[in-house]
Amino acid sequence: SDPLVAEQSSTSEPLVIVVNRSNPVDDLSLVELRRVFLGNRSHWANGRRITLVMRDPGEPERKTILRDVCGMNEDQLKTHFLHGLFTGEILVSPKILSTPTGVRKFIFNVPGAIGYLRVSDLDDSVKVVRIDELLPDDKGYKLHVQNQAGN
């Protein structure tokens, strides 16, 4: 086996976007995903309100979302949400959960919820959404969490 490949897989892991199993959405573009994670899109196509689930600031999973989806740092995101909530453009702040188990349980129980998990934290209580038509195992999949080793 190629040592370079093995080293890569130990330093990063796909980050999966997950929704409630009843959600008809199977695929989101990175652009749509960004609108969802920035609170600019408040409802799913079926009319359900979107409930955004985030991890605590500083978590590697959250850093991945901020960097690769939102294109912002923590301060910029905070300012964006404060401004949006103030002007009424954003209806609700993200729900902050501190564990992958918490994220899964919340999304399982809330039909409009969307959040993210490492592939290793995934189970079939939630549904994986393709990003730009790619699944986490596909070549070219965009979202990867940097593991802390070596940081």
Side-chain angles (χ1 to χ4, degrees):
S1 68
D2 188 338
L4 197 67
V5 174
E7 189 171 78
Q8 262 212 322
S9 62
S10 67
T11 56
S12 82
E13 181 183 350
L15 190 68
V16 191
I17 303 298
V18 290
V19 295
N20 183 281
R21 292 201 72 87
S22 71
N23 193 325
V25 170
D26 291 313
D27 183 74
L28 288 167
S29 70
L30 204 54
V31 173
E32 289 172 312
L33 193 64
R34 182 168 195 260
R35 289 187 60 218
V36 168
F37 272 99
L38 290 179
N40 298 123
R41 180 175 169 187
S42 60
H43 291 80
W44 296 109
N46 64 2
R48 274 200 195 282
R49 175 163 295 194
I50 294 173
T51 305
L52 187 54
V53 180
M54 297 283 277
R55 296 285 301 279
D56 293 309
E59 292 281 353
E61 294 90 332
R62 181 176 171 122
K63 284 182 178 164
T64 300
I65 291 290
L66 260 62
R67 184 190 65 220
D68 298 343
V69 177
C70 301
M72 292 185 180
N73 64 29
E74 202 59 65
D75 285 347
Q76 289 168 319
L77 188 75
K78 191 187 278 177
T79 303
H80 170 82
F81 270 96
L82 285 172
H83 177 78
L85 290 162
F86 180 74
T87 57
E89 287 164 46
I90 297 175
L91 300 175
V92 64
S93 1
K95 176 98 180 134
I96 306 294
L97 295 165
S98 51
T99 65
T101 311
V103 171
R104 282 200 311 260
K105 282 194 174 135
F106 186 86
I107 291 174
F108 176 78
N109 286 310
V110 178
I114 182 171
Y116 47 88
L117 294 165
R118 291 168 182 259
V119 163
S120 56
D121 290 324
L122 201 55
D123 69 18
D124 61 8
S125 66
V126 292
K127 180 169 113 171
V128 173
V129 178
R130 288 191 203 87
I131 304 305
D132 288 335
E133 297 180 7
L134 296 173
L135 285 167
D137 304 338
D138 294 336
K139 196 172 163 52
Y141 185 80
K142 296 274 195 316
L143 306 177
H144 290 89
V145 186
Q146 297 306 312
N147 287 325
Q148 294 307 70
N151 278 4

